[in-house]
Amino acid sequence: GRFKQGLSRTRDILFTDIDDLFSKKRVIDDTLLEEIEESLIMADLGVDLCLKVMENVSRKSKKLSTANELKDLLKAEIQALFPGEPSAPEPTAVVKPRVIMVVGVNGTGKTTTLGKLAMKFTNEGQKVLIAAADTFRAAAIEQVSEWARRANVGIVKHRDGADPAAVAFDGVEAAIARGIDVLLIDTAGRLHTQKNLMEELKKIKRTIAKRLPGAPHEVLMVLDATTGQNAISQAKLFNEAVGVTALALTKLDGTAKGGIAVSISGTMEIPLKYIGLGEGINDLQEFNSQLFINALFD
Ligand code: GDP
């Protein structure tokens, strides 16, 4: 339900005429295959992936007779692009505090996603703390404080301009002292001083590890779906610098480029864990490729 509603714009673009594309009346011919290919490119699946998918679809479709069978084939080929999802759920809360460093370029929805996660973990009964380590802009500290208030969780902050690594360090210290389950660390995302930003993020990471070996347990990178293929180059850049372990893709509700979720999963080894489907505190979903594909095609 939520998936389908949130992805409506991608659905519209992907298959404006989904019923028409795969209607019983359609025969499987080159025209139909071309129309599908066009839709996939429009949805920002990425040209390479799209060609790969269509090559397989076109070869295997020779054995098919109905457009509906073609739709199932297409869904299976797209599903195959996603890494297998773990069959058993991940063991929960083995480490305490679990430290999640949230990174991403300004404007992608980093702070919003952090707030949503604070709410999600709180709802799951976990004790959450936020560290406001984006000290570059005073507004960022205020903004993340507002999310902490909304999610009703604690926050560790210094004045703006303070050393972000020192805030992160204090966050870990406080999390240990207060018996916190999950520490969420907000970080800066200014891109115009890219080199400095990467050094800053590396330093935060080192500092956290010094206080708590093994931390951060997750480096979650937030990407904006509306930036399309750009999101992938951002992810590669951050990954090289700080080693990204999971991805969150925001604003899927406002874009027709939902294919970017497939594109990311098909080109990067890093799992897509969360998707943002709105601005509200509860508009975050755990990503599931099968639900995602069903939401687009059915
Ligand atoms: P940051 O600069 O990366 O921390 O970005 P913000 O968290 O301030 O978000 C930037 C804008 O994107 C805000 O207006 C958010 O409300 C909006 N936003 C964030 N996530 C989503 C989402 O999943 N869907 C929609 N529609 N808007 C979002």
Side-chain angles (χ1 to χ4, degrees), residues 4 7 45 110 137 160 173 186 211 217 219 261 267 295:
K4 194 159 174 173
L7 294 169
L45 199 77
K110 180 165 45 65
R137 303 170 300 157
D160 54 290
E173 192 106 302
D186 189 29
R211 184 61 191 84
H217 308 93
V219 177
T267 50

Side-chain angles (χ1 to χ4, degrees), residues 19-295:
D19 296 327
D20 177 44
L21 263 186
F22 296 110
S23 83
K24 290 197 181 65
K25 284 181 253 114
R26 297 256 352 215
V27 286
I28 301 173
D29 57 10
D30 287 347
T31 315
L32 177 55
L33 292 175
E34 271 161 32
E35 280 175 38
I36 293 172
E37 181 172 313
E38 217 169 284
S39 302
L40 294 180
I41 288 183
M42 294 276 282
D44 227 334
L45 199 77
V47 175
D48 292 349
L49 273 190
C50 183
L51 292 179
K52 187 169 132 190
V53 167
M54 289 316 292
E55 202 180 288
N56 289 340
V57 167
S58 142
R59 182 166 36 84
K60 295 180 189 171
S61 68
K62 305 219 156 54
K63 297 190 209 94
L64 305 178
S65 47
T66 69
N68 215 32
E69 287 171 341
L70 182 66
K71 180 162 115 180
D72 287 339
L73 171 63
L74 182 61
K75 280 170 70 176
E77 288 299 327
I78 292 179
Q79 178 77 58
L81 296 173
F82 287 94
E85 267 148 40
S87 46
E90 287 175 52
T92 45
V94 188
V95 273
K96 186 176 165 172
R98 189 154 68 96
V99 179
I100 305 177
M101 192 173 151
V102 185
V103 303
V105 173
N106 282 343
T108 52
K110 180 165 45 65
T111 316
T112 304
T113 302
L114 187 144
K116 289 171 175 175
L117 281 173
M119 191 73 251
K120 173 187 151 63
F121 293 135
T122 301
N123 286 340
E124 289 169 3
Q126 306 200 55
K127 216 171 150 191
V128 178
L129 180 70
I130 293 174
D134 179 359
T135 61
F136 192 69
R137 303 170 300 157
I141 301 175
E142 275 160 40
Q143 200 191 345
V144 78
S145 301
E146 176 59 23
W147 281 108
R149 198 191 55 72
R150 273 182 223 161
N152 197 22
V153 305
I155 183 163
V156 169
K157 57 184 169 187
H158 295 188
R159 62 180 198 296
D160 54 290
D163 179 2
V167 182
F169 186 92
D170 284 358
V172 176
E173 192 106 302
I176 294 168
R178 299 182 203 173
I180 292 293
D181 296 305
V182 186
L183 172 67
L184 295 166
I185 301 181
D186 189 29
T187 62
R190 54 185 192 281
L191 209 55
H192 56 282
T193 51
Q194 208 181 84
K195 182 91 200 318
N196 292 342
L197 175 62
M198 295 308 157
E199 291 312 314
E200 176 177 317
L201 295 176
K202 282 185 204 167
K203 186 179 167 195
I204 292 175
K205 207 180 157 187
R206 278 197 312 270
T207 308
I208 297 170
K210 242 179 245 167
R211 184 61 191 84
L212 185 65
H217 308 93
E218 185 106 286
V219 177
L220 177 71
M221 173 151 195
V222 177
L223 300 172
D224 178 342
T226 64
T227 63
Q229 297 292 318
N230 246 337
I232 293 181
S233 21
Q234 280 176 13
K236 286 182 177 156
L237 183 78
F238 276 70
N239 187 39
E240 273 165 31
V242 284
V244 175
T245 64
L247 299 169
L249 188 61
T250 63
K251 308 184 199 176
L252 266 176
D253 53 302
T255 182
K257 298 179 177 179
I260 193 69
V262 181
S263 197
I264 285 170
S265 300
T267 50
M268 307 207 48
E269 301 281 299
I270 309 163
L272 175 55
K273 255 197 172 163
Y274 304 104
I275 55 175
L277 294 172
E279 296 182 281
I281 201 160
N282 293 311
D283 295 330
L284 186 81
Q285 298 265 312
E286 269 175 52
F287 182 75
N288 173 302
S289 61
Q290 199 156 6
L291 286 181
F292 181 80
I293 293 168
N294 288 344

